[in-house]
Amino acid sequence: MKLVLLRHGESEWNRLNLFTGWTDVILSNKGIKEAADAGNMLKGKGYDFDICYTSFLKRAVDTLNVVLDTMDRAWLPVVKNWKLNERHYGALQGLNKAETAEKYGEEQVKIWRRSFDVRPPALEPDDPRNPQLQEQYRNVEKSELPLAESLKDTIARVIPYYENVIKKDMLEGKRVLLVAHGNSIRALVKYFENLSEDEIMGVNIPTGIPLVYEFDDDFNMTDHYYLGDQSIIETRMKKVAEQGKAK
Ligand SMILES: O=C(O)[C@@H](CO)OP(=O)(O)O
């Protein structure tokens, strides 16, 4: 069995190097192209899908739509769920990562970006960005909605969703494409590869590159790889890691 994960293409806030989290920003022109490239890559390598999953955030939804259009698969069923959203970056949302590193130090920014269980500073409950106050989340149980999340918190919502919902489709033989975000994908990577809290700190997911996981019938992970030119992928991962460096 295969599961294909894809981080959305570059967003406008990735381009500006801003902490994004649950801020609902659009793709940049480069991001739209990355999505089309991913679609062409998947099609060219003979991939096909029966069902797709994505988050409530338009950079992921729009990426999926471009991929499906490119693959002539715009008709496929798509399930959207907030549990696949990016990690909630709390009060850091909207701040420039390099400027934040200048102000608080690169080490602190690395802790906020990549530590396992440290939460960034939380939004105030009366902040209009509180998801409890946003239309997008009006049907979600209020107590489930965060004001800031660590990777550990993100894992606590992503993995049960994978186990209880996505895995069922895979068990029925459906080929699944999941389009999500840097840190919701890191949650899955840690789980599938059984990485330690230290090991996951060094994992950075590039935008718009399909990441394939293969499993045996007992759901043991047997192989995983990115599709495409490995040296370009390495460079793009490094670029993501370096977004937290002071200018
Ligand atoms: O800002 C964010 O929401 C994420 C993904 O773009 O960033 P980071 O790589 O710093 O976790």
Side-chain angles (χ1 to χ4, degrees), residues 7-8 14 18-21 59 86-87 89 97 113-114 182-183 204 240 243:
R7 183 179 173 201
H8 60 82
N14 292 146
L18 308 181
F19 284 102
T20 313
R59 58 192 188 275
E86 179 55 290
R87 170 157 83 105
Y89 253 117
K97 293 176 191 176
R113 291 183 76 209
R114 293 293 175 263
N183 295 293
N204 287 286
V240 176
Q243 284 167 345

Side-chain angles (χ1 to χ4, degrees), residues 13 19 25 30 35 62 89 130 145-146 149 173 191 233 236 239 242 245:
W13 278 26
F19 284 102
V25 297
K30 183 176 161 199
D62 292 350
Y89 253 117
N130 176 351
L145 292 167
E149 289 181 306
Y191 185 63
I233 294 165
R236 284 170 62 171
K239 237 180 110 187
E242 284 172 357
K245 291 212 178 306

Side-chain angles (χ1 to χ4, degrees), residues 104-135:
Y104 297 97
E106 286 180 6
E107 217 24 62
Q108 180 59 58
V109 166
K110 180 143 193 222
I111 291 168
W112 279 331
R113 291 183 76 209
R114 293 293 175 263
S115 69
F116 179 66
D117 53 9
V118 176
R119 284 185 186 144
L123 290 178
E124 295 295 335
D126 63 354
D127 191 307
R129 296 172 295 171
N130 176 351
Q132 290 192 13
L133 307 175
Q134 295 185 313
E135 279 294 297

Side-chain angles (χ1 to χ4, degrees), residues 82-226:
W82 71 273
K83 293 198 172 167
L84 298 175
N85 273 14
E86 179 55 290
R87 170 157 83 105
H88 198 297
Y89 253 117
L92 295 182
Q93 290 180 175
L95 301 182
N96 181 286
K97 293 176 191 176
E99 285 169 18
T100 307
E102 271 162 40
K103 193 164 168 192
Y104 297 97
E106 286 180 6
E107 217 24 62
Q108 180 59 58
V109 166
K110 180 143 193 222
I111 291 168
W112 279 331
R113 291 183 76 209
R114 293 293 175 263
S115 69
F116 179 66
D117 53 9
V118 176
R119 284 185 186 144
L123 290 178
E124 295 295 335
D126 63 354
D127 191 307
R129 296 172 295 171
N130 176 351
Q132 290 192 13
L133 307 175
Q134 295 185 313
E135 279 294 297
Q136 252 162 318
Y137 306 103
R138 64 188 176 195
N139 292 325
V140 179
E141 174 58 50
K142 290 208 182 322
S143 62
E144 289 192 76
L145 292 167
L147 293 168
E149 289 181 306
S150 62
L151 180 64
K152 188 179 175 191
D153 299 323
T154 311
I155 288 173
R157 62 172 159 86
V158 172
I159 302 308
Y161 187 74
Y162 163 75
E163 279 290 333
N164 300 327
V165 182
I166 299 174
K167 212 164 153 176
K168 278 206 187 106
D169 280 336
M170 293 168 71
L171 279 167
E172 284 173 16
K174 290 185 185 156
R175 295 160 298 178
V176 177
L177 170 63
L178 189 162
V179 180
H181 304 265
N183 295 293
S184 45
I185 291 177
R186 286 176 71 241
L188 290 163
V189 166
K190 182 176 187 305
Y191 185 63
F192 293 151
E193 297 183 33
N194 202 11
L195 300 181
S196 68
E197 294 173 19
D198 255 12
E199 285 167 326
I200 192 64
M201 273 196 96
V203 174
N204 287 286
I205 311 292
T207 51
I209 312 267
L211 171 57
V212 183
Y213 280 91
E214 294 186 9
F215 302 91
D216 65 17
D217 289 347
D218 297 321
F219 271 95
N220 298 306
M221 197 267 290
T222 51
D223 202 4
H224 62 97
Y225 42 89
Y226 280 100

